[in-house]
Amino acid sequence: MRTVRLKFLARFIFLIAMASGTFAASAQLTAKNPDQVYGYDPLLYNGMFYYYTAPPHTTGTQYLFDSFDEHASLLLRGLTYTNLALNLDILNQQLILKYTNSMGSPSMIQVSFAWLENFEIHNKHFEIIATADTTKEIFQVLGVGPSKVLYFHSRKLLVENLTESTDRFFSRIQKQLYVYNGGKKVKYKNNRTFVAAFGEAQHELIRKYIRKHNVVVQKATDQQMTELINYCNTLSGS
């Protein structure tokens, strides 16, 4: 009787050891899985999967850039992430992150606005700015200082202007121009309205700068507008 009990006890101990080893191996495999939460870092890979597909026979793209920037970066809750593949969907106003999941398949997610502060794509700087009704929007930002230039980029999905045509196309990039100062956006369309966005005491100095450097604000390059807004920031009371 005692012999039977000892054999039973030995077998019980053996089964526990095997189960523990299996559990440990399973836990180890799970710990090595890099795709636990949409990918790798749960702070970064916590957005919704991106599935947008244009209707059949649609030409063009919903993105701001023709290609994803494989060396883009972003600032999320004070942490900087580099060497990311990013592009900006300006039809749906979403920042899209492309990555390879743990199964080796390409995946895309919408980066959540909850903690997103700014990002860089193809050497252009973007920030998330809350509007008057607290809605968060994506703007390209130029300049360093209290005043900045903001660009809001967008596209529309349009139907070809042909009888009985169902073909669609994405519009050209539309760009709205703003001067941002003191938490307020002032829209401008030309040199005159750009100057008017500043204090009256600075108007003549800004006009002289624009004439001297042959700036046409609605057509100016990013470099020209960066230099212009940085000059405006040197003026007292701007």
Side-chain angles (χ1 to χ4, degrees), residues 12-53:
F12 181 73
I13 294 172
F14 175 77
L15 291 174
I16 292 176
M18 288 293 292
S20 300
T22 303
F23 176 80
S26 176
Q28 186 177 17
L29 288 173
T30 302
K32 289 181 179 179
N33 182 4
D35 197 30
Q36 293 176 1
V37 184
Y38 290 130
Y40 311 98
D41 187 325
L43 179 63
L44 176 62
Y45 296 85
N46 70 347
M48 296 175 61
F49 281 110
Y50 179 74
Y51 292 118
Y52 177 78
T53 302

Side-chain angles (χ1 to χ4, degrees), residues 188-207:
Y188 70 90
K189 295 182 178 181
N190 50 39
N191 288 358
R192 180 181 60 80
T193 51
F194 177 86
V195 173
F198 297 87
E200 188 173 352
Q202 287 75 46
H203 287 181
E204 188 55 33
L205 291 173
I206 297 173
R207 289 193 194 98

Side-chain angles (χ1 to χ4, degrees), residues 14-228:
F14 175 77
L15 291 174
I16 292 176
M18 288 293 292
S20 300
T22 303
F23 176 80
S26 176
Q28 186 177 17
L29 288 173
T30 302
K32 289 181 179 179
N33 182 4
D35 197 30
Q36 293 176 1
V37 184
Y38 290 130
Y40 311 98
D41 187 325
L43 179 63
L44 176 62
Y45 296 85
N46 70 347
M48 296 175 61
F49 281 110
Y50 179 74
Y51 292 118
Y52 177 78
T53 302
H57 310 295
T58 299
T59 57
T61 178
Q62 72 270 30
Y63 292 113
L64 176 60
F65 302 102
D66 291 335
S67 63
F68 276 73
D69 183 355
E70 302 287 341
H71 302 286
S73 63
L74 60 79
L75 182 64
L76 194 67
R77 204 177 183 181
L79 297 176
T80 299
Y81 296 83
T82 59
N83 294 319
L84 303 174
L86 298 176
N87 207 337
L88 189 58
D89 176 344
I90 56 174
L91 176 72
N92 301 295
Q93 295 300 314
Q94 293 289 342
L95 177 62
I96 308 304
L97 169 62
K98 182 171 66 175
Y99 70 103
T100 301
N101 63 29
S102 61
M103 303 300 292
S105 301
S107 297
M108 290 193 289
I109 59 173
Q110 305 170 21
V111 178
S112 172
F113 283 9
W115 300 107
L116 181 61
E117 298 176 45
N118 60 63
F119 56 94
E120 306 271 344
I121 303 180
H122 291 298
N123 298 315
K124 296 183 184 293
H125 179 74
F126 298 84
E127 295 182 11
I128 309 302
I129 297 176
T131 58
D133 60 356
T134 70
T135 301
K136 292 182 177 180
E137 294 183 325
I138 301 172
F139 293 91
Q140 182 185 350
V141 179
L142 304 177
V144 177
S147 295
K148 297 178 180 179
V149 167
L150 304 182
Y151 292 155
F152 182 80
H153 301 277
S154 63
R155 288 187 193 271
K156 293 181 179 179
L157 183 59
L158 305 174
V159 178
E160 293 283 359
N161 189 22
L162 298 173
T163 304
E164 297 181 358
S165 173
T166 59
D167 291 350
R168 293 174 173 83
F169 66 98
F170 291 102
S171 68
R172 293 182 179 181
I173 297 171
Q174 300 174 335
K175 186 166 67 172
Q176 297 178 34
L177 317 174
Y178 300 92
V179 171
Y180 186 67
N181 193 352
K184 296 181 180 180
K185 303 196 312 290
V186 179
K187 194 171 185 178
Y188 70 90
K189 295 182 178 181
N190 50 39
N191 288 358
R192 180 181 60 80
T193 51
F194 177 86
V195 173
F198 297 87
E200 188 173 352
Q202 287 75 46
H203 287 181
E204 188 55 33
L205 291 173
I206 297 173
R207 289 193 194 98
K208 287 181 178 179
Y209 180 97
I210 288 175
R211 287 195 295 267
K212 179 180 179 181
H213 294 87
N214 298 315
V215 178
V216 179
V217 294
Q218 65 269 32
K219 298 179 180 179
T221 65
D222 288 356
Q223 182 63 34
Q224 286 177 309
M225 290 306 299
T226 298
E227 292 173 355
L228 172 57

